């Protein structure tokens, strides 16, 4: 039997001697097979079997794979989808070491199925499989979508390998090529490629997390589009490198690549539009960009349709394929042009972010050109685009930071202008007063008499104001009411003028205590009139009409104000009303009801502040009126409850003349809440006066603290 095998082997060697063998050695990394090293046999019915292949009869049926020879019929008319091609390769292993080699179909070899057959010295025939329709887990080598098939030739021996190929519609015979690489070379290049791409992916991931943090802080829309742009690029490159194919080959067909490219272009235009702020800086170009965004959105829909048809196995018409190809070319060129032109225009207008935008896109263009030019250079040549994108995204990040600084500076300048305007108004007022005083001194006795009469009237007005203040003080609840109902409390009320538009009110019915802190529209006399009106109406609603729910009280108070002030929502009518907090405290159950109109309530419990927000509407006629909501809170012993109007947080002051704001106000309450209530009031008074400094008080101030 062994002699028979030797005779058969010698016979096959002589038969195939006309086919030029490919020499294998330990120095071989990667080498292409020439047409004189590839022989083929066309099997239209796919009836040819490996047992027949190894028979002497069929050996002379194989022909040289010479695409230039028209007599061979290597075209689409003779070889159609469903046919089979058999290839024969002869390898002469002159290596001294035992090495495994890879037979590698070319990049554009789209074949439904490959089966590599090799007969071992003991007569056993091994099989290795790959192909376009093959599940990655069943392939001989599953590396980024490759169709590599391994084979082994004993050192010093000559061996023949056969390859079965199933032709499909996507197969292009003229593009069929084969290369041979050593197994070590394939693994080494794959590790280096994964390391390079992993470095790129790591940078992109860090950029996403970093810019996501910034977006959550500043809420600048450019950062959101920037993050989406990076994600789109990552998706495109992960698919481009074939890593998705290793798990889900059905999602890596050509339509997916083009679809991801369209997603990337859409994110690019959205980022550029927000980054350059064309809606504000270049309105004409902004309209053009919107048309471009719509154009690409239509392309996305068309590609999505193609993906759905492709997943269902429906062939896309050739006209549709040509249309989409043209669409892709136009989209790519137009997207880059639409963003670079306005960037040049804005750069000439000294808009700093435009310079960063141009530099970032220059990196992208250079990376694209180098990637196309040096694509065949091993490892590095295929990653120029990733390098260009990385530099582009880093430059975008620097530019976005610069843009945020510009926006911050503009806001500070605008705020300084407001403060300067206020100071100029104050200075102008003082100047006018001085001029009036000088003129008064120069007047005649008649004018002096008029002055005396005016002074007398001023005294009467001052007396009226003082009397109004006494009336308002009388109407406000006395301090002992709070002392009888609560363990501790404080009330800080600082009117901007003599009388106040801010007021507080308290009433007790059986076991329930009704408390409110309110900010009426206006201040001075108008505000005080509104406050008197509010106190009167609250007394009527709670004590006479027996309303005992916080939300119902605010609803009824709104109706009373609208009816009294004749508010019907007509254009031009006054929008007077109140921002307030209404509390109802049940002394038996220690439950607290809360309803608010534009104003919140703070509860400090166990050194932690809990904020309850009211409805975003005043107690008055409002365009989008709804019923007020109600919160029920179970109070615990030692809870501190704080009610306030916006006068304290909105006060200008400090070293830069800015508003005090709500965050520092919360921190101040947390800092002092454990002190006695009266001491808290003194600290708040002191902080407010120091913050205000020499600036005028802009509004009435009311802060109430209650300890339960």
């Amino acid at each position: 039997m062994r002699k028979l095998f030797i005779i058969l082997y010698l016979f096959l060697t002589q038969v195939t001697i006309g086919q030029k063998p490919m020499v294998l050695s330990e120095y071989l990394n990667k080498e292409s097979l020439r047409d004189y090293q590839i022989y083929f046999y066309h099997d239209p019915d796919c009836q040819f079997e490996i047992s027949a292949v190894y028979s002497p009869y069929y050996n002379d049926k194989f022909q040289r794979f010479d695409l230039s020879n028209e007599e061979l019929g290597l075209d689409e008319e003779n070889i159609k989808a469903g046919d089979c091609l058999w290839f024969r390769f002869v390898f002469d292993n002159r290596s001294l070491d035992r090495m495994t080699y890879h037979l590698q179909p070319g990049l554009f070899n789209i074949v439904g199925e490959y089966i590599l057959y090799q007969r071992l010295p003991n007569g056993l025939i091994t099989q290795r499989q790959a192909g376009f329709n093959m599940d990655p887990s069943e392939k001989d080598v599953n590396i980024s979508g490759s169709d590599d098939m391994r084979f082994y030739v004993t050192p010093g021996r000559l061996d023949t390998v056969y390859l079965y190929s199933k032709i499909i519609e996507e197969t292009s015979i003229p593009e069929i090529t084969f290369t041979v690489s050593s197994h070590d070379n394939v693994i080494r290049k794959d590790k280096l490629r994964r390391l390079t791409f992993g470095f790129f992916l790591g940078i992109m991931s860090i950029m996403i997390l970093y810019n996501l943090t910034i977006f959550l802080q500043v809420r600048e829309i450019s950062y959101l589009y920037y993050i989406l742009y990076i994600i789109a690029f990552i998706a495109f490159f992960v698919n481009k490198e074939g890593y998705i194919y290793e798990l889900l080959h059905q999602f890596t067909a050509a339509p997916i690549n083009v679809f991801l490219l369209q997603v990337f272009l859409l994110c690019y235009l959205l980022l550029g539009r927000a980054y350059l702020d064309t809606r504000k800086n270049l309105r004409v170009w902004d309209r053009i960009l919107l048309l471009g965004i719509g154009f690409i959105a239509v392309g996305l829909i068309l590609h999505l349709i193609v993906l759905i048809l492709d997943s269902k196995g429906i062939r896309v018409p050739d006209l549709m394929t040509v249309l989409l190809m043209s669409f892709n070319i136009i989209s790519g060129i137009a997207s880059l042009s639409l963003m670079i032109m306005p960037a040049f225009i804005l750069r000439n207008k000294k808009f700093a972010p435009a310079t960063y935008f141009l530099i970032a896109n220059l990196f992208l263009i250079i990376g694209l050109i180098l990637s196309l030019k040096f694509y065949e250079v091993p490892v590095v040549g295929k990653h120029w685009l990733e390098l260009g994108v990385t530099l582009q995204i880093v430059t975008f990040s620097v530019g976005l930071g610069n843009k945020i600084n510009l926006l911050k500076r503009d806001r500070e300048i605008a705020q300084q202008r407001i403060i300067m305007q206020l100071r100029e108004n104050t200075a102008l007022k003082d100047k006018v007063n001085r001029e009036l005083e000088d003129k008064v001194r120069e007047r005649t006795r008649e004018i002096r008499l008029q002055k005396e009469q005016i002074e007398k009237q001023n005294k009467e007005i001052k007396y009226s104001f003082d009397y109004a203040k006494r009336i308002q003080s009388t109407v406000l609840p006395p301090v002992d009411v709070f002392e009888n109902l609560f363990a501790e409390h404080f009330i800080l009320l600082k009117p901007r003028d003599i009388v106040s538009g801010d007021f507080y009110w308290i009433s007790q019915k059986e076991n329930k205590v009704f408390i409110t802190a309110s900010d009426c529209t206006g201040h001075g006399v108008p505000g005080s009139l509104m406050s008197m009106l509010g106190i009167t109406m609250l007394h009527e609603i709670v004590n006479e009409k027996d309303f005992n729910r916080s939300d119902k009280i605010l609803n009824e108070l709104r109706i009373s104000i609208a009816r009294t002030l004749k508010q019907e929502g007509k254009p031009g009518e006054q929008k007077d009303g109140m921002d307030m907090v209404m509390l109802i405290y049940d002394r038996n159950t220690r439950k607290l009801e809360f309803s608010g109109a534009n104003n919140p309530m703070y509860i400090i419990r166990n050194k932690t502040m809990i904020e309850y927000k009211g409805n975003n509407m005043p107690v008055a006629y409002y365009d989008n009126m709804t019923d007020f909501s109600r919160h029920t809170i179970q109070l615990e012993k030692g809870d501190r409850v704080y009610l306030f109007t916006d006068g304290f947080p909105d006060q200008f002051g400090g070293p830069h003349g800015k508003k005090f704001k709500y965050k520092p106000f919360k921190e101040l309450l947390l800092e002092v809440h454990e002190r006695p209530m009266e001491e808290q009031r003194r600290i708040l008074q002191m902080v407010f006066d120091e913050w205000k400094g020499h600036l005028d008080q802009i509004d009435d101030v009311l802060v109430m603290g209650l300890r339960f």
Side-chain angles (χ1 to χ4, degrees), residues 415-545:
Q415 217 169 37
Q416 288 294 332
R417 286 176 178 172
I418 293 174
I419 295 172
M420 291 300 296
Q421 187 64 45
L422 290 173
R423 290 176 176 174
E424 289 176 3
N425 291 342
T426 303
L428 181 62
K429 178 183 175 182
D430 294 340
K431 181 181 178 181
V432 170
N433 288 337
R434 287 194 300 271
E435 290 178 354
L436 287 175
E437 290 175 358
D438 292 339
K439 289 180 181 180
V440 168
R441 295 190 187 97
E442 296 173 359
R443 300 284 183 170
T444 61
R445 181 174 178 275
E446 181 181 354
I447 301 300
R448 288 198 299 273
L449 292 175
Q450 291 178 354
K451 178 186 175 185
E452 292 175 359
Q453 185 178 2
I454 291 173
E455 289 177 349
K456 181 179 179 181
Q457 292 175 349
N458 286 338
K459 289 180 181 179
E460 292 175 353
I461 293 172
K462 180 66 167 55
Y463 174 79
S464 299
F465 271 109
D466 291 338
Y467 191 73
K469 182 178 181 181
R470 287 197 299 273
I471 294 174
Q472 189 176 41
S473 301
T474 303
V475 174
L476 292 175
V479 176
D480 56 358
V481 175
F482 287 90
E483 292 177 350
N484 294 333
L485 295 175
F486 301 102
E488 278 189 278
H489 80 283
F490 75 81
I491 300 174
L492 173 60
L493 177 61
K494 286 180 64 65
R496 198 199 80 161
D497 301 313
I498 297 175
V499 288
S500 172
D502 289 2
F503 72 89
Y504 57 92
W505 179 79
I506 186 170
S507 179
Q508 182 182 9
K509 290 181 64 178
E510 298 177 352
N511 60 315
K512 291 188 176 182
V513 180
F514 299 79
I515 313 164
T516 185
S518 178
D519 180 4
C520 298
T521 303
H523 38 71
V525 174
S528 67
L529 291 176
M530 282 296 297
S531 69
M532 297 289 286
L533 182 64
I535 292 173
T536 303
M537 289 181 176
L538 283 172
H539 178 77
E540 178 184 357
I541 292 169
V542 175
N543 296 323
E544 296 181 12
K545 294 184 179 180

Side-chain angles (χ1 to χ4, degrees), residues 219-314:
R219 301 294 180 180
E220 168 61 34
I221 193 66
S222 300
Y223 279 98
L224 179 60
Y225 290 137
Y226 178 57
I227 294 168
L228 295 176
Y229 177 74
I230 298 175
I231 293 174
F233 240 131
I234 290 176
F236 177 76
F237 278 113
V238 168
N239 189 66
K240 167 183 168 290
E241 293 297 317
Y243 297 126
I244 297 179
Y245 185 91
E246 296 178 1
L247 300 175
L248 302 168
H249 74 288
Q250 62 269 32
F251 292 110
T252 55
I256 278 287
N257 295 328
V258 180
F259 179 78
L260 291 175
L261 177 61
Q262 291 292 313
V263 172
F264 155 70
L265 292 176
L266 180 62
C267 293
Y268 173 74
L269 287 182
L270 291 172
L271 169 62
R273 180 171 178 262
Y275 184 91
L276 298 176
D277 199 4
T278 55
R279 184 172 59 179
K280 175 182 177 183
N281 299 324
L282 294 172
R283 294 186 177 181
V284 175
W285 270 103
D286 187 66
R287 295 190 186 98
I288 298 174
L289 285 176
L290 289 175
L291 291 175
I293 292 170
F295 182 78
I296 293 180
V298 171
L300 272 177
I301 295 173
L302 293 177
H303 284 92
L304 184 61
I305 293 173
V306 171
L307 283 175
I308 295 173
L309 295 177
D310 187 74
S311 65
K312 295 182 178 296
I314 301 175

